[in-house]
Amino acid sequence: MKRLVVLGATGPSGQEVVKQALSAGHHVTAVVRNPDKLDSVQNENLKVVKADIFSAEELSEHFRGQEVVLSCLGSRSSFRAPVTLYTETMKAIVAAMRETGLIRLICMTSWCTESLPGNPWFIEWILKPLVLKRTLVNMAEMEHFLFDDCQDINFTIVRPPSLGTGPFSDLPILTHEGMHVPGARWGLMNRADVAHFMLSLLDTTEWDRKAVAIQRTSRR
């Protein structure tokens, strides 16, 4: 069992990671802005702490003694306002990891953070122009920061498609080192399945220092 620190733990994806990690017997420190939002989760292996996610100094206090950082931080899509949450929080996270000697990081972005040939047309021609462009741009900037400036951090970037609610499906998950999973449908992937995949990375080195696109299969 590992000592995990989870950021974005009060969001729908973060709550799934926390619950599944606790069910697996891990020790979890949930770093949140509002501890009241995790009142419904009670477990002797859960510690809920309040911190400024943009402050490396505050994060360092709660990173000490941990083994893995999992970030489920997210920002609502914005058509007009600039999005900087992903880069600004990641800079603070990495600084805190360096301060405390942590090297393992698992974080979440999205399919198609950059426009490349072969990307699904619906994302490139509909979602990006109308809804997601600023969010995906900042996600891409965060990814470049990790690849270009964080050689000392053993990160994995998980790229799911659009996220939905629902229980863990236990369906096989397709993976691809790229912007999306070729041949896979673009539709919703349950946050519970994404959380399960993120936690599965604790037991493998296959995706170390890589960005992996994922999607569950529609049937066994």
Side-chain angles (χ1 to χ4, degrees):
M1 298 301 101
K2 294 188 181 295
R3 299 183 301 278
L4 313 178
V5 56
V6 180
L7 292 95
T10 58
S13 297
Q15 288 192 41
E16 283 291 344
V17 169
V18 169
K19 292 174 183 177
Q20 291 186 33
L22 292 170
S23 294
H26 298 294
H27 293 263
V28 178
T29 297
V31 179
V32 302
R33 285 174 284 189
N34 184 357
D36 293 340
K37 290 185 176 181
L38 271 182
D39 278 350
S40 61
V41 183
Q42 300 294 324
N43 190 292
E44 63 180 5
N45 289 335
L46 173 64
K47 179 181 180 182
V48 182
V49 298
K50 184 178 181 179
D52 180 357
I53 57 175
F54 297 96
S55 169
E57 182 178 0
E58 290 192 25
L59 292 178
S60 295
E61 296 179 23
H62 307 297
F63 282 14
R64 298 188 192 283
Q66 307 294 341
E67 294 178 272
V68 183
V69 177
L70 295 104
S71 176
C72 300
L73 292 168
S75 172
R76 292 181 180 177
S77 299
S78 174
F79 182 71
R80 295 182 179 178
V83 175
T84 60
L85 178 136
Y86 297 96
T87 47
E88 294 307 309
T89 56
M90 188 54 67
K91 290 174 183 177
I93 290 168
V94 168
M97 291 179 69
R98 287 169 172 159
E99 174 66 24
T100 57
L102 268 171
I103 61 170
R104 186 68 174 116
L105 167 68
I106 301 168
C107 62
M108 181 194 307
T109 58
S110 173
W111 273 27
C112 302
T113 50
E114 297 188 59
S115 295
L116 294 178
N119 282 358
W121 70 268
F122 185 75
I123 296 176
E124 292 298 327
W125 295 98
I126 305 295
L127 291 183
K128 280 189 179 182
L130 295 180
V131 183
L132 296 176
K133 182 176 181 179
R134 293 178 184 271
T135 298
L136 293 176
V137 165
N138 194 232
M139 285 181 174
E141 291 170 343
M142 185 196 82
E143 292 175 345
H144 281 290
F145 168 70
L146 289 173
F147 277 110
D148 298 340
D149 300 326
C150 299
Q151 285 76 19
D152 56 330
I153 303 296
N154 180 16
F155 62 83
T156 301
I157 300 167
V158 177
R159 292 171 171 158
S162 185
L163 297 171
T165 58
F168 172 54
S169 71
D170 199 27
L171 290 170
I173 293 178
L174 304 172
T175 59
H176 180 70
E177 187 179 0
M179 286 292 158
H180 67 287
V181 181
R185 60 185 179 83
W186 171 75
L188 296 176
M189 182 174 182
N190 287 353
R191 290 180 172 88
D193 292 330
V194 177
H196 178 78
F197 180 80
M198 292 179 74
L199 290 169
S200 76
L201 297 172
L202 300 173
D203 301 315
T204 180
T205 60
E206 180 180 2
W207 299 106
D208 287 6
R209 290 195 56 81
K210 295 177 181 177
V212 53
I214 61 173
Q215 175 59 293
R216 68 181 180 187
T217 57
S218 56
R219 61 183 65 86
R220 292 189 179 280

